[in-house]
Amino acid sequence: MSLSPQLRRLWRDVTLFDGLCVRPAPMTVLVEDGRVAGLWSQGEFDERHAIGAVECGRGGVMTPGLVDCHSHLVYAGNRAGEFEQRLEGVSYAEIARAGGGILSTVRATRAASEEQLVEASLPRLQALLADGVTTVEIKSGYGLSVADELKMLRVARRLGELQPVRVLTTLLGAHALPPEFAGDSDGYVALVCNEMIPAAATEGLADAVDVFCEHIAFSPAQCELVFQAAQRHGLAVKAHAEQLSNQGASALAARYRGLSADHIEFLDEAGVQAMAAAGTVAVLLPGAFHCLRETQLPPIELLRRYGVPMAVASDANPGTSPICFPTLVLNLACTLFRLTPREALSGMTAHGARALGRPDLGRIEVGAPADLCLWDIQQPAELAYAVQPGRLRQRIFKGDLTHAC
Ligand code: NIG
Ligand code: FE
């Protein structure tokens, strides 16, 4: 069901989570021209605002559309065999060193055409949308050549044209060393800096640049070169940081005014301080923690103490987090990382948006883009409490009703 976004639309008596807080009383919400045009608590509403507005619903919980700020949704193939190997005790790093892991997805993704990648990725995107996502970041990183990385980014952009969702794209050329550069990781980093980043920037295909800073991927010095190249081309930076070991990648990202440092299980206090000073968002990825059966917890208490905003994202990918179910990820953020349900929800709305450099998103406030979800639940905490598909009653994207039950 899709109606004109120009309509005035009205919802009454909703319990409203605005991206940071739950409003104490039921609210009336008016949307016009794709934006939130008015918010009133019960008793404040002047019925003249309802004139000419379509009554879209009453009751339920309204949240901002979910913002999934870290995903690897575009890829071919799957890694179920590797999942079985890990259950038998082989580690993620051992599989990577043996040429599997990310490189096995690189082989499948290189072999796939753009059309095949769109077809493979669309159901994953639709699963996110059915569970409330209105903005998703999609990374490249399974191409690892100029042509294949650009192919992935074009597919990501195409997905955003095919579905009512805002797609932001991130070039993750420095994800793994491709086989043709074996023994020459500096040579590959030079390719990322001198060819991949300029090409993605010139073609307008990337909104940001990411790196995997880890002993099985790239060193802090190499990641710094990538950050410098990104900045020369006006692209924001972020990092897969401190996932398997403490490399100081979060502090490095902070030095480059990074949007976010993601994973951060091994982050130390100095890194937290650097992120706090730079306004770099901590992106928590409990799906990867869960699927890798990690035991090192991210320093949640330190992040709270220093006031670092915490985002929560799916990290949807074929290896460490084959999960396209955002509200399950909210549940994992609470059960595994001990976030409160409110923190988890802010992590996938207001703070997720900050991690994308889009603080205008992930909030319900007058003037904000009307990306909204209406859920069939009594209180916002239920989104993190229960793991249950089918609770999304309506999904509103840029003021347009894109999913209605
Ligand atoms: O976010 N850590 C590196 N990158 C991805 C996993 C990619 C993969 O294993 O395919 C992550 O966990
Ligand atoms: Fe990731």
Side-chain angles (χ1 to χ4, degrees):
M1 178 176 177
S2 181
L3 300 171
S4 158
Q6 305 310 323
L7 284 176
R8 286 158 65 80
R9 299 178 183 280
L10 194 69
W11 287 264
R12 294 177 189 265
D13 295 337
V14 298
T15 299
L16 193 121
F17 172 76
D18 67 14
L20 294 173
C21 301
V22 183
R23 296 295 176 96
M27 304 287 292
T28 299
V29 180
L30 180 71
V31 162
E32 193 170 16
D33 292 336
R35 298 200 168 259
V36 177
L39 289 175
W40 298 270
S41 57
Q42 237 170 12
E44 278 178 4
F45 185 64
D46 180 338
E47 283 298 330
R48 280 177 295 188
H49 293 299
I51 296 170
V54 178
E55 301 270 349
C56 288
R58 186 179 285 274
V61 167
M62 184 173 275
T63 68
L66 301 183
V67 178
D68 188 355
C69 68
H70 180 140
S71 93
H72 309 249
L73 215 61
V74 171
Y75 62 84
N78 75 73
R79 310 229 296 268
E82 185 184 301
F83 175 63
E84 289 180 305
Q85 269 183 290
R86 286 206 311 271
L87 291 174
E88 283 160 13
V90 190
S91 76
Y92 180 68
E94 283 163 346
I95 292 168
R97 282 197 206 95
I102 293 171
L103 289 183
S104 96
T105 301
V106 170
R107 288 189 284 277
T109 304
R110 283 181 172 181
S113 67
E114 274 184 47
E115 295 69 33
Q116 287 167 329
L117 283 173
V118 167
E119 198 183 322
S121 308
L122 204 49
R124 296 190 279 267
L125 179 64
Q126 285 166 332
L128 296 185
L129 268 56
D131 204 33
V133 168
T134 51
T135 297
V136 59
E137 183 252 21
I138 302 180
K139 301 176 194 296
S140 64
Y142 294 122
L144 309 186
S145 69
V146 176
D148 288 305
E149 286 292 298
L150 297 187
K151 174 177 79 175
M152 287 190 70
L153 293 172
R154 274 195 297 273
V155 169
R157 289 268 198 249
R158 178 87 188 111
L159 290 171
E161 290 159 8
L162 291 172
Q163 293 289 306
V165 64
R166 189 178 291 96
V167 172
L168 299 181
T169 57
T170 299
L171 175 69
L172 177 53
H175 195 196
L177 187 64
E180 59 276 18
F181 278 87
D184 183 20
S185 62
D186 286 341
Y188 180 64
V189 169
L191 177 80
V192 172
C193 295
N194 302 333
E195 294 186 40
M196 240 176 234
I197 291 175
T202 307
E203 295 192 31
L205 284 172
D207 300 305
V209 170
D210 197 349
V211 296
F212 185 19
C213 187
E214 195 51 75
H215 53 75
I216 55 167
F218 298 95
S219 70
Q222 291 172 325
C223 293
E224 183 159 13
L225 293 174
V226 175
F227 287 170
Q228 288 167 348
Q231 289 198 340
R232 277 199 298 278
H233 289 86
L235 294 171
V237 302
K238 55 178 86 176
H240 282 70
E242 277 66 84
Q243 181 184 15
L244 307 172
S245 61
N246 184 4
Q247 302 275 326
S250 306
L252 176 67
R255 264 215 312 287
Y256 284 81
R257 297 268 148 213
L259 291 173
S260 67
D262 304 34
H263 288 286
I264 59 168
E265 277 85 348
F266 286 82
L267 179 63
D268 61 14
E269 187 161 357
V272 174
Q273 283 175 324
M275 289 171 68
T280 299
V281 176
V283 177
L284 303 172
L285 303 170
F289 178 92
H290 166 68
C291 292
L292 292 181
R293 301 171 69 240
E294 293 288 353
T295 52
Q296 171 83 28
L297 286 163
I300 303 297
E301 213 36 71
L302 281 175
L303 294 166
R304 285 190 185 119
R305 195 183 317 149
Y306 286 95
V308 176
M310 293 183 283
V312 175
S314 72
D315 196 15
N317 76 72
T320 64
S321 187
I323 297 177
C324 299
F325 191 178
T327 54
L328 164 65
V329 177
L330 295 177
N331 177 274
L332 294 176
C334 297
T335 53
L336 299 176
F337 294 169
R338 300 284 184 90
L339 260 60
T340 65
R342 190 191 57 74
E343 284 175 323
L345 257 180
S346 291
M348 215 177 263
T349 52
H351 294 157
R354 279 184 66 172
L356 295 175
R358 291 294 307 264
D360 57 318
L361 302 174
R363 299 293 314 275
I364 302 180
E365 54 191 2
V366 173
D371 294 353
L372 308 166
C373 290
L374 188 68
W375 305 89
D376 273 324
I377 53 176
Q378 309 288 312
Q379 48 181 315
E382 286 177 57
L383 285 179
Y385 149 76
V387 179
Q388 185 181 330
R391 295 174 294 177
L392 183 66
R393 192 195 305 171
Q394 291 176 350
R395 180 181 171 281
I396 298 104
F397 178 61
K398 295 183 178 172
D400 201 1
L401 211 54
T402 59
H403 165 112
C405 304

